[in-house]
Coordinates of all heavy atoms in Angstrom, one line a residue:
A151 N 23.3 272.9 128.4 CA 23.2 273.2 127.0 C 22.1 274.2 126.8 O 22.2 275.1 125.9 CB 22.9 271.9 126.2
F152 N 21.0 274.1 127.5 CA 19.8 274.9 127.3 C 19.9 276.2 128.0 O 19.0 277.1 127.9 CB 18.5 274.2 127.8 CG 18.2 272.8 127.2 CD1 17.4 271.9 127.8 CD2 18.8 272.5 126.0 CE1 17.1 270.7 127.2 CE2 18.6 271.2 125.4 CZ 17.7 270.3 126.1
N153 N 21.0 276.5 128.7 CA 21.1 277.7 129.5 C 20.9 279.0 128.7 O 21.5 279.1 127.6 CB 22.5 277.7 130.2 CG 22.6 278.9 131.1 OD1 21.7 279.3 131.8 ND2 23.8 279.6 131.0
A154 N 20.1 279.9 129.2 CA 19.8 281.2 128.6 C 19.3 281.2 127.2 O 19.6 282.0 126.3 CB 21.1 282.0 128.6
L155 N 18.5 280.1 126.9 CA 17.8 280.0 125.6 C 16.3 280.1 125.8 O 15.8 279.5 126.8 CB 18.2 278.7 125.0 CG 19.4 278.7 124.0 CD1 19.6 277.2 123.6 CD2 19.1 279.5 122.8
S156 N 15.6 280.6 124.9 CA 14.1 280.6 125.0 C 13.6 279.6 124.0 O 14.3 279.1 123.1 CB 13.6 282.0 124.6 OG 13.9 282.2 123.2
A157 N 12.3 279.2 124.2 CA 11.7 278.2 123.3 C 11.7 278.8 121.9 O 11.9 278.0 120.9 CB 10.3 277.9 123.8
K158 N 11.5 280.1 121.8 CA 11.4 280.7 120.5 C 12.7 280.5 119.8 O 12.8 280.1 118.6 CB 11.0 282.1 120.6 CG 10.6 282.8 119.3 CD 9.9 284.1 119.6 CE 9.7 284.8 118.3 NZ 10.3 286.1 118.3
K159 N 13.8 280.9 120.5 CA 15.1 280.9 119.9 C 15.6 279.4 119.6 O 16.3 279.2 118.6 CB 16.2 281.5 120.8 CG 16.2 283.0 120.8 CD 17.4 283.5 121.5 CE 17.4 285.0 121.5 NZ 18.1 285.6 122.6
A160 N 15.1 278.5 120.4 CA 15.6 277.1 120.3 C 14.7 276.3 119.4 O 14.9 275.0 119.3 CB 15.6 276.4 121.7
A161 N 13.9 276.9 118.6 CA 12.9 276.2 117.8 C 13.5 275.0 116.9 O 12.9 274.0 116.8 CB 12.1 277.1 116.9
K162 N 14.7 275.3 116.4 CA 15.3 274.3 115.5 C 16.1 273.2 116.2 O 16.6 272.3 115.5 CB 16.2 275.0 114.4 CG 15.4 275.8 113.4 CD 16.4 276.2 112.3 CE 15.6 276.8 111.1 NZ 16.5 277.2 110.1
L163 N 16.2 273.3 117.5 CA 17.0 272.4 118.2 C 16.7 270.9 117.9 O 15.6 270.5 117.9 CB 16.9 272.7 119.7 CG 17.6 271.7 120.7 CD1 19.1 271.9 120.6 CD2 17.1 272.0 122.1
V164 N 17.8 270.1 117.7 CA 17.7 268.7 117.7 C 18.7 268.1 118.7 O 19.8 268.6 118.8 CB 18.0 268.1 116.3 CG1 18.0 266.6 116.2 CG2 17.0 268.7 115.2
I165 N 18.3 267.1 119.4 CA 19.2 266.4 120.4 C 19.6 265.0 119.8 O 18.7 264.4 119.2 CB 18.5 266.3 121.7 CG1 18.1 267.6 122.3 CG2 19.5 265.5 122.7 CD1 19.2 268.5 122.9
A166 N 20.8 264.6 120.0 CA 21.2 263.2 119.7 C 21.6 262.6 121.0 O 22.6 263.1 121.6 CB 22.3 263.2 118.7
Y167 N 20.9 261.6 121.4 CA 21.4 260.8 122.6 C 22.4 259.8 122.1 O 22.0 258.9 121.3 CB 20.2 260.1 123.3 CG 20.7 259.1 124.4 CD1 21.7 259.5 125.3 CD2 20.3 257.8 124.4 CE1 22.2 258.6 126.2 CE2 20.7 256.9 125.3 CZ 21.7 257.3 126.2 OH 22.2 256.3 127.1
E168 N 23.6 259.9 122.5 CA 24.7 259.0 122.1 C 25.4 258.4 123.3 O 26.3 259.1 123.8 CB 25.7 259.7 121.2 CG 25.0 260.3 119.9 CD 26.1 260.3 118.8 OE1 27.1 260.9 118.9 OE2 25.8 259.7 117.8
P169 N 25.0 257.3 123.8 CA 25.7 256.7 124.9 C 27.1 256.5 124.4 O 27.3 255.8 123.4 CB 25.0 255.4 125.2 CG 24.0 255.2 124.1 CD 23.9 256.4 123.3
V170 N 28.1 257.0 125.1 CA 29.5 257.0 124.6 C 30.0 255.6 124.5 O 30.8 255.3 123.5 CB 30.4 257.9 125.5 CG1 31.8 257.9 124.9 CG2 29.8 259.3 125.6
W171 N 29.6 254.7 125.3 CA 30.0 253.3 125.3 C 29.5 252.6 124.0 O 29.9 251.5 123.7 CB 29.6 252.6 126.6 CG 28.1 252.8 126.9 CD1 27.7 253.8 127.8 CD2 27.0 252.1 126.5 NE1 26.3 253.7 127.8 CE2 25.9 252.6 127.1 CE3 26.8 250.9 125.6 CZ2 24.6 252.2 126.9 CZ3 25.5 250.5 125.4 CH2 24.4 251.1 126.0
A172 N 28.6 253.2 123.3 CA 28.0 252.6 122.1 C 28.6 253.1 120.8 O 28.2 252.6 119.8 CB 26.5 252.7 122.1
I173 N 29.4 254.2 120.9 CA 29.9 254.8 119.7 C 31.1 254.1 119.2 O 32.1 253.9 119.9 CB 30.2 256.3 120.0 CG1 29.0 257.0 120.4 CG2 30.9 256.9 118.8 CD1 29.2 258.5 120.7
G174 N 31.0 253.5 118.0 CA 32.1 252.8 117.3 C 32.5 251.5 118.0 O 33.5 251.0 117.7
T175 N 31.7 251.0 118.9 CA 32.1 249.8 119.6 C 31.3 248.6 119.2 O 31.6 247.5 119.6 CB 31.8 250.0 121.1 OG1 30.3 250.3 121.3 CG2 32.6 251.1 121.7
G176 N 30.3 248.8 118.3 CA 29.4 247.7 118.0 C 28.4 247.4 119.0 O 27.4 246.6 118.8
K177 N 28.5 248.0 120.2 CA 27.4 247.8 121.2 C 26.3 248.9 121.0 O 26.7 250.1 120.8 CB 28.0 248.1 122.6 CG 29.0 247.0 123.1 CD 29.4 247.4 124.5 CE 30.7 246.6 124.9 NZ 31.5 247.3 125.9
T178 N 25.1 248.4 121.0 CA 24.0 249.4 120.9 C 23.2 249.4 122.1 O 22.9 248.3 122.7 CB 23.1 249.0 119.7 OG1 23.9 248.4 118.7 CG2 22.3 250.1 119.1
A179 N 22.6 250.6 122.5 CA 21.6 250.6 123.5 C 20.4 249.8 123.0 O 20.1 249.9 121.8 CB 21.3 252.0 123.9
T180 N 19.7 249.1 123.9 CA 18.5 248.5 123.4 C 17.5 249.6 123.1 O 17.6 250.7 123.7 CB 17.9 247.6 124.5 OG1 17.5 248.4 125.6 CG2 18.9 246.5 124.9
P181 N 16.5 249.3 122.2 CA 15.5 250.4 121.9 C 14.9 250.9 123.2 O 14.6 252.0 123.4 CB 14.5 249.6 121.0 CG 15.4 248.6 120.3 CD 16.4 248.1 121.3
Q182 N 14.7 250.0 124.2 CA 14.0 250.4 125.5 C 15.0 251.3 126.3 O 14.5 252.3 126.8 CB 13.7 249.1 126.3 CG 12.9 249.4 127.5 CD 11.6 250.1 127.2 OE1 10.8 249.7 126.4 NE2 11.3 251.2 127.9
M183 N 16.3 251.0 126.3 CA 17.2 251.8 127.0 C 17.2 253.2 126.4 O 17.2 254.2 127.1 CB 18.6 251.3 126.9 CG 19.1 250.2 127.9 SD 20.4 249.3 127.2 CE 21.7 249.9 128.2
A184 N 17.3 253.3 125.1 CA 17.3 254.6 124.4 C 16.0 255.3 124.7 O 16.0 256.5 125.0 CB 17.5 254.4 122.9
S185 N 14.9 254.6 124.6 CA 13.6 255.2 124.8 C 13.5 255.8 126.2 O 13.0 257.0 126.3 CB 12.6 254.1 124.5 OG 11.4 254.7 124.4
D186 N 14.0 255.1 127.2 CA 13.9 255.7 128.6 C 14.7 257.0 128.7 O 14.2 257.9 129.3 CB 14.5 254.6 129.5 CG 13.6 253.4 129.7 OD1 12.5 253.5 129.3 OD2 14.1 252.4 130.3
V187 N 15.9 257.0 128.1 CA 16.7 258.2 128.2 C 16.1 259.3 127.4 O 16.1 260.5 127.8 CB 18.2 258.0 127.7 CG1 19.0 259.3 127.7 CG2 18.9 257.0 128.7
H188 N 15.5 259.0 126.2 CA 14.8 260.0 125.4 C 13.7 260.7 126.2 O 13.5 261.9 126.1 CB 14.3 259.4 124.1 CG 15.4 259.2 123.1 ND1 15.2 259.2 121.7 CD2 16.7 258.8 123.3 CE1 16.4 259.0 121.1 NE2 17.3 258.7 122.1
Q189 N 13.0 259.9 127.0 CA 11.9 260.5 127.8 C 12.5 261.4 128.8 O 11.9 262.5 129.1 CB 11.1 259.4 128.5 CG 10.1 258.7 127.6 CD 9.4 257.6 128.2 OE1 9.1 257.6 129.4 NE2 9.1 256.5 127.5
L190 N 13.6 261.1 129.4 CA 14.2 261.9 130.4 C 14.7 263.3 129.7 O 14.4 264.4 130.3 CB 15.5 261.2 131.0 CG 16.3 262.0 132.0 CD1 16.7 261.0 133.1 CD2 17.5 262.7 131.5
I191 N 15.2 263.2 128.5 CA 15.7 264.4 127.8 C 14.5 265.2 127.5 O 14.5 266.5 127.7 CB 16.5 264.0 126.5 CG1 17.8 263.3 126.9 CG2 16.7 265.2 125.7 CD1 18.5 262.7 125.7
R192 N 13.4 264.6 127.1 CA 12.2 265.3 126.7 C 11.6 266.1 128.0 O 11.1 267.2 127.9 CB 11.1 264.4 126.1 CG 10.2 265.1 125.2 CD 9.2 264.1 124.5 NE 9.9 263.2 123.5 CZ 10.4 263.6 122.3 NH1 10.3 264.9 122.0 NH2 11.0 262.8 121.5
G193 N 11.8 265.4 129.1 CA 11.3 266.0 130.4 C 12.2 267.2 130.7 O 11.6 268.3 131.1
E194 N 13.5 267.2 130.4 CA 14.3 268.3 130.7 C 14.0 269.5 129.7 O 14.0 270.6 130.1 CB 15.8 267.9 130.5 CG 16.3 267.1 131.6 CD 16.1 267.6 133.0 OE1 16.6 268.7 133.3 OE2 15.5 266.9 133.8
A195 N 13.7 269.1 128.5 CA 13.3 270.1 127.5 C 12.0 270.8 127.9 O 11.8 272.0 127.8 CB 13.2 269.5 126.1
A196 N 11.1 270.0 128.5 CA 9.8 270.5 128.9 C 10.0 271.5 130.1 O 9.4 272.6 130.1 CB 8.9 269.4 129.4
K197 N 11.0 271.2 131.0 CA 11.2 272.1 132.1 C 11.8 273.4 131.6 O 11.5 274.5 132.1 CB 12.3 271.5 133.1 CG 11.6 270.5 134.0 CD 12.7 270.1 135.1 CE 12.7 268.6 135.3 NZ 13.9 268.0 135.8
A198 N 12.7 273.3 130.6 CA 13.4 274.5 130.1 C 12.5 275.3 129.1 O 12.5 276.6 129.2 CB 14.7 274.1 129.4
F199 N 11.7 274.6 128.3 CA 11.1 275.4 127.2 C 9.6 275.2 127.1 O 8.9 275.7 126.3 CB 11.6 274.9 125.8 CG 13.1 275.0 125.7 CD1 13.9 273.9 125.4 CD2 13.8 276.3 125.9 CE1 15.3 274.1 125.3 CE2 15.1 276.4 125.8 CZ 15.9 275.3 125.5
G200 N 9.0 274.3 128.0 CA 7.6 274.1 128.0 C 7.2 272.8 127.3 O 8.0 272.2 126.5
E201 N 6.0 272.3 127.7 CA 5.5 271.0 127.2 C 5.3 271.0 125.6 O 5.6 270.0 125.0 CB 4.1 270.7 127.8 CG 4.2 270.4 129.3 CD 4.9 269.1 129.7 OE1 5.0 268.3 128.8 OE2 5.2 269.0 130.9
E202 N 4.8 272.1 125.1 CA 4.6 272.1 123.7 C 5.9 272.0 122.9 O 5.9 271.2 121.9 CB 3.9 273.5 123.3 CG 3.1 273.4 122.1 CD 2.5 274.8 121.8 OE1 2.0 275.4 122.8 OE2 2.5 275.2 120.7
F203 N 6.9 272.7 123.3 CA 8.2 272.6 122.7 C 8.7 271.2 122.8 O 9.2 270.6 121.8 CB 9.2 273.6 123.4 CG 10.6 273.5 122.8 CD1 11.0 274.5 121.9 CD2 11.5 272.5 123.1 CE1 12.2 274.5 121.3 CE2 12.7 272.5 122.6 CZ 13.1 273.5 121.7
A204 N 8.6 270.6 124.0 CA 9.2 269.3 124.2 C 8.5 268.2 123.4 O 9.1 267.3 122.9 CB 9.0 268.9 125.7
A205 N 7.2 268.4 123.2 CA 6.4 267.4 122.4 C 6.9 267.4 120.9 O 6.8 266.4 120.2 CB 4.9 267.7 122.4

Side-chain angles (χ1 to χ4, degrees):
F152 301 162
N153 184 42
L155 267 173
S156 65
K158 192 164 169 238
K159 279 194 184 150
K162 286 190 170 179
L163 174 68
V164 175
I165 301 284
Y167 168 52
E168 300 209 302
V170 181
W171 48 268
I173 297 180
T175 58
K177 289 183 197 152
T178 323
T180 62
Q182 186 59 49
M183 273 159 110
S185 194
D186 289 346
V187 174
H188 285 212
Q189 279 177 35
L190 180 142
I191 294 169
R192 207 173 291 291
E194 289 307 303
K197 280 189 224 158
F199 306 123
E201 293 290 344
E202 203 181 318
F203 180 100

